[in-house]
Amino acid sequence: MRILQANATYGKLNQSQLSLHPGLNVICAPNEGGKSTWSRFLLAMFYGLNTRQRGDLADKNRFQPWNGSPMQGKLELSVGSDRLTLSRRTQRADAPLGAFSCTYAGTDTPASGIDALRCGETLLGVPQSVYQRCAFISAGSMAIDADADLERRINALISTGEEKISFSQAESRLKKQLHQRKYNRSGSIPLLESEIAALASSQAEVRALSEQESLLQKQLRQAQEEQNRRRLARQQELQARIDKKQRLLNSLPDSAALQAINEQSGAVRSMAEQVQQSRDAAARQERSMQEHLQELSKNPLHPMTRTELEAQLQIQTKAPPQVTQLLISLAMGLCGGGFLWYEIGRPQILWLCAACVITALAAGNFLRLLVTRIRLQQVRRRELRRQEELRKLAESYLPMLEELEEQRTLLQQRNQAAEDGEQRLRAALSSLLALVQKWDASAHTATDIRHFVQQASRQRETLAEELRQAQAELLQAQMPGADDLSTRLQQQIAQVQGRLAALGGTEEAERQIAHKRAQLWQQQAEYDALTAALDALRNANTTLQNRFSPELGRRTAEIFSDMTGSDWTHILLDREFHLSAESSSDPTRRSVQVLSSGTADQLYLATRLAICEMVLPAEQNPPLILDDALLAFDDERLHKTLDYLAQLGKQRQILLFTCQSREANYLTGHDGVRIVRL
């Protein structure tokens, strides 16, 4: 089988093309040029992508296309006389390269016998684990580790040709079967032995348990008799206590009487509170009245009463002479003056005197009336002002006086209400004391009554609770029961009987012992047979190893000599592919781990190429893929190795990826070698 052309959208590859030829293809590219990506892409195209791996280093995450496109690829293959087109693409994000097709080139006809799961094994002839351990070689992972598929393949080639199972798998299964039967103290054989020993000891245990049950039954009967005697004494003691508590309870007032006393006491307390409230209200009223009286005393009209004030407001002043009287007196004076004036010119003395008298009297009366009017008007104005001031003062004084009178009346009412309440309180308290003194003669106050009610209630509750407890204890004592000793004995008897029932008697134990011994004999026979089979398998594997290892070591030494020209003539390896070498000049065996890194890589490469010759099927002739596998080789050994690979390229296709120019420079012009630069 040969790869003709590859198209990849994988990692940094974006629709990248790679054309290949038969023989040795040297593919040159610098670091980060996509060499490892191409090699991993070819492996994924043949065997698919493992989507169960997790983490950033899983291929499905590590080689996600950098441009964000779906992962996809196509290979043009030459398989015998057929040309095939192998394609894988991504349809779902959770299944990269999940869509598979393999058709004949230029058609849509599917190639028969090739499916997505077994494509690589069908085309290349080996499972992926075998191909990666021989034909897929990359720098940094040159060493070979053991693998069941590779072991089966080698065993098949050096034995009968069967590849169904390897020695390690068969050995693991046989060891598992042996461990199931016997491994240290675990397994079915030690378990059966312990069960047989337990059954043998159970027979003696049954007899001991029967004797123990008889003794426990006797002790139980004695304990029950003693318990009945103690229960009767306990009942008598409890009954005496109940009678005493009942008498004490009867000597106290019953609940109804206590309720009545308590209600009356509450009424007395309420009346006392009302009386106190009345006294407090009267005191507050008296303080308010005193404050009001002090405020009233500041008024100039205090302590005038309403009657006195009204009397003052009704005082009337003497009316002044009327104007008519003044006019009359003035007219008489004027008439007397005119008459006097008239008589002055006449010598009649009498009339002159009369005129003078009249004039004088009229003038004097006028003056008197005028002075009296003026004086009375002044007095009247002063009185009016005084009354006006009295009215103004009365506007504030009279309401205060009325309020004072109302407060005096209210104070008298509240004092009277307090006195009436005290009389009712004394009467109710006397009645309540007379009732309480039937049980407590020392009660004389309301406080004594409250104390009596509280104490009697507590005593009744205490006595009632003690009476209930005593009655419950009596009822419990009257009920048949078991004490601790009887209970313990019954539990022990039940345990013994349960143990006897579990043991099933001596006959059942003998039957089980016989059955277990038969099982033990069968398990021991199987264990012996498995041991013999494991020994035979190991002997056969040793024989196969003796046939496999020398041949593989011989061929590895030949290839190693061709590649390096060294004198390491003997290559030794075990089933785990641990390598060691001997030279013709020094027979000391050297482990590959003590060799230089370059020599170790060359030895591993020779081993892989030898394995390829042994395990890769000739009919498929799968290609070899080497990814920077020659980095540690010096120039001389590199040239010898390239010569060997060029010669090997005549038999199978080889893809040699390299980041150096040494390989291309040396192989330029060689027949069958194609230089490809990425």
Side-chain angles (χ1 to χ4, degrees):
M1 191 209 76
R2 297 191 305 274
I3 304 173
L4 303 179
Q5 190 171 9
N7 181 287
T9 300
Y10 192 80
K12 70 177 297 180
L13 305 177
N14 181 22
Q15 294 294 331
S16 300
Q17 302 284 337
L18 180 61
S19 298
L20 301 172
H21 293 264
L24 176 59
N25 294 264
V26 180
I27 306 165
C28 302
N31 291 332
E32 299 186 3
K35 304 182 302 299
S36 298
T37 304
W38 271 114
S39 62
R40 298 299 299 185
F41 166 75
L42 295 174
L43 188 67
M45 288 299 294
F46 284 117
Y47 292 101
L49 202 62
N50 186 358
T51 58
R52 290 177 294 179
Q53 291 182 338
R54 296 291 183 269
D56 294 337
L57 295 181
D59 286 354
K60 65 178 182 179
N61 299 322
R62 178 184 174 189
F63 295 109
Q64 277 291 332
W66 292 8
N67 61 357
S69 301
M71 190 182 293
Q72 60 184 350
K74 181 184 294 185
L75 294 181
E76 296 291 337
L77 306 175
S78 173
V79 181
S81 59
D82 297 327
R83 289 173 62 92
L84 302 179
T85 301
L86 176 64
S87 173
R88 291 183 186 268
R89 63 186 185 280
T90 301
Q91 288 184 337
R92 302 198 324 266
D94 59 345
L97 297 183
F100 171 84
S101 69
C102 183
T103 62
Y104 292 103
T107 70
D108 288 334
T109 305
S112 60
I114 301 177
D115 56 18
L117 184 62
R118 302 183 61 84
C119 172
E121 189 168 354
T122 302
L123 294 175
L124 303 180
V126 291
Q128 180 177 354
S129 60
V130 175
Y131 187 76
Q132 285 187 262
R133 284 168 174 81
C134 59
F136 188 84
I137 308 168
S138 61
S141 59
M142 300 288 288
I144 310 171
D145 56 352
D147 177 70
D149 289 332
L150 181 57
E151 182 184 347
R152 283 198 300 269
R153 183 72 179 175
I154 294 174
N155 289 343
L157 293 172
I158 63 177
S159 58
T160 63
E162 291 290 335
E163 287 188 53
K164 294 183 178 178
I165 191 167
S166 66
F167 163 75
S168 59
Q169 290 177 320
E171 182 186 32
S172 176
R173 292 180 183 178
L174 288 174
K175 285 183 178 180
K176 183 177 180 181
Q177 293 295 326
L178 286 173
H179 289 170
Q180 287 177 354
R181 285 158 179 80
K182 186 177 181 180
Y183 181 72
N184 293 333
R185 296 183 180 180
S186 63
S188 58
I189 292 176
L191 179 61
L192 287 170
E193 290 175 347
S194 63
E195 289 177 352
I196 290 172
L199 288 171
S201 65
S202 68
Q203 292 177 323
E205 186 180 359
V206 169
R207 290 189 292 272
L209 289 173
S210 299
E211 295 176 358
Q212 184 181 1
E213 182 185 10
S214 300
L215 179 60
L216 291 174
Q217 290 288 358
K218 181 179 179 180
Q219 293 177 353
L220 178 61
R221 287 192 297 272
Q222 294 175 354
Q224 288 175 345
E225 291 175 359
E226 179 64 21
Q227 179 189 0
N228 292 333
R229 185 185 62 77
R230 290 197 304 269
R231 185 167 64 248
L232 181 59
R234 178 64 175 169
Q235 290 176 3
Q236 293 174 353
E237 178 187 354
L238 290 173
Q239 187 61 49
R241 188 195 302 177
I242 289 172
D243 295 340
K244 180 180 178 181
K245 298 294 181 184
Q246 189 64 50
R247 288 193 298 272
L248 291 175
L249 188 61
N250 293 335
S251 65
L252 295 174
D254 57 13
S255 300
L258 286 175
Q259 181 67 23
I261 293 173
N262 195 30
E263 291 177 356
Q264 293 181 20
S265 177
V268 168
R269 286 196 300 272
S270 178
M271 293 173 62
E273 291 175 357
Q274 292 178 358
V275 169
Q276 185 61 39
Q277 290 176 358
S278 298
R279 289 298 183 190
D280 294 341
R284 290 194 300 272
Q285 185 64 40
E286 186 173 3
R287 287 194 298 272
S288 176
M289 188 182 70
Q290 292 297 330
E291 293 174 358
H292 192 73
L293 185 59
Q294 291 177 1
E295 183 70 22
L296 188 63
S297 64
K298 297 178 182 179
N299 197 297
L301 299 181
H302 183 74
M304 187 180 298
T305 64
R306 173 182 287 274
T307 303
E308 292 174 347
L309 183 58
E310 290 177 352
Q312 288 292 330
L313 292 175
Q314 291 177 359
I315 294 176
Q316 298 292 331
T317 58
K318 184 178 180 180
Q322 298 294 325
V323 177
T324 305
Q325 293 178 342
L326 290 174
L327 293 176
I328 292 174
S329 296
L330 180 59
M332 291 181 63
L334 291 175
C335 290
F339 183 69
L340 179 59
W341 176 265
Y342 177 72
E343 289 295 334
I344 290 176
R346 297 174 66 185
Q348 292 182 4
I349 298 303
L350 180 60
W351 291 105
L352 181 62
C353 291
C356 288
V357 171
I358 292 171
T359 301
L361 289 173
N365 186 51
F366 176 77
L367 291 174
R368 182 184 64 79
L369 290 175
L370 181 61
V371 170
T372 300
R373 180 178 177 81
I374 292 172
R375 182 177 59 79
L376 289 178
Q377 284 181 344
Q378 292 177 349
V379 171
R380 184 178 181 83
R381 280 194 297 271
R382 286 196 301 271
E383 184 64 22
L384 290 175
R385 284 195 300 271
R386 186 183 68 81
Q387 288 186 357
E388 183 64 24
E389 290 176 356
L390 283 177
R391 288 190 185 93
K392 291 180 180 179
L393 291 174
E395 289 178 357
S396 59
Y397 179 74
L398 287 177
M400 295 174 63
L401 188 63
E402 291 176 356
E403 184 177 356
L404 179 63
E405 292 298 330
E406 291 177 357
Q407 290 183 358
R408 284 197 182 112
T409 303
L410 184 59
L411 177 61
Q412 292 175 358
Q413 293 175 354
R414 290 182 175 175
N415 286 332
Q416 185 63 37
E419 291 177 359
D420 295 342
E422 287 181 352
Q423 292 178 359
R424 291 193 301 272
L425 176 61
R426 286 192 291 272
L429 183 59
S430 298
S431 175
L432 184 58
L433 285 173
L435 178 61
V436 172
Q437 287 173 355
K438 294 179 181 179
W439 295 281
D440 185 4
S442 62
H444 298 290
T445 63
T447 303
D448 295 339
I449 294 173
R450 288 196 298 274
H451 290 167
F452 168 74
V453 172
Q454 294 173 358
Q455 185 176 3
S457 298
R458 285 195 297 269
Q459 289 179 352
R460 283 192 65 85
E461 291 177 358
T462 303
L463 289 173
E465 181 63 27
E466 293 176 352
L467 185 61
R468 284 193 296 271
Q469 291 179 357
Q471 290 173 347
E473 292 177 4
L474 178 60
L475 181 61
Q476 185 177 3
Q478 292 173 350
M479 296 176 61
D483 58 4
D484 294 340
L485 178 59
S486 299
T487 302
R488 187 167 62 253
L489 290 172
Q490 289 175 351
Q491 290 176 350
Q492 293 177 359
I493 292 172
Q495 291 175 357
V496 170
Q497 292 175 347
R499 182 60 180 163
L500 287 171
L503 293 175
T506 57
E507 295 180 358
E508 178 65 19
E510 291 176 356
R511 187 187 65 78
Q512 292 183 9
I513 289 174
H515 179 66
K516 296 293 183 182
R517 284 176 177 169
Q519 290 181 343
L520 177 61
W521 180 86
Q522 181 181 358
Q523 291 290 321
Q524 188 64 50
E526 292 177 357
Y527 182 81
D528 295 339
L530 288 170
T531 302
L534 183 59
D535 292 339
L537 179 65
R538 286 172 176 168
N539 293 332
N541 181 65
T542 302
T543 302
L544 290 175
Q545 289 294 320
N546 292 335
R547 295 171 57 192
F548 151 69
S549 297
E551 176 63 23
L552 182 58
R554 183 192 63 79
R555 182 56 184 151
T556 300
E558 292 176 356
I559 297 174
F560 186 66
S561 178
D562 293 341
M563 289 170 50
T564 62
S566 63
D567 60 347
W568 296 99
T569 56
H570 294 83
I571 307 298
L572 306 176
L573 68 162
D574 59 12
R575 187 165 56 89
E576 300 297 327
F577 294 98
H578 297 150
L579 299 177
S580 58
E582 296 178 359
S583 66
S584 58
S585 60
D586 184 5
T588 303
R589 182 179 299 178
R590 309 288 182 182
S591 173
V592 70
Q593 296 177 352
V594 302
L595 301 178
S596 68
S597 60
T599 303
D601 284 353
Q602 293 151 15
L603 184 56
Y604 279 126
L605 177 59
T607 305
R608 285 175 176 264
L609 294 176
I611 293 174
C612 285
E613 292 182 3
M614 296 184 66
V615 303
L616 293 182
E619 58 273 14
Q620 278 89 353
N621 197 22
L624 302 182
I625 300 176
L626 293 87
D627 181 16
D628 279 333
L630 311 180
L631 288 176
F633 289 31
D634 58 31
D635 292 341
E636 181 180 356
R637 292 191 175 185
L638 175 67
H639 296 164
K640 291 181 179 294
T641 301
L642 291 175
D643 290 338
Y644 179 82
L645 292 176
Q647 188 65 28
L648 183 61
K650 297 177 181 180
Q651 302 174 13
R652 68 174 72 245
Q653 188 181 36
I654 301 175
L655 280 64
L656 174 59
F657 293 91
T658 178
C659 64
Q660 299 180 356
S661 59
R662 297 187 302 166
E663 294 87 343
N665 294 337
Y666 180 75
L667 291 174
T668 300
H670 280 61
D671 293 337
V673 177
R674 174 68 181 273
I675 308 299
V676 180
R677 299 186 184 277
L678 298 181

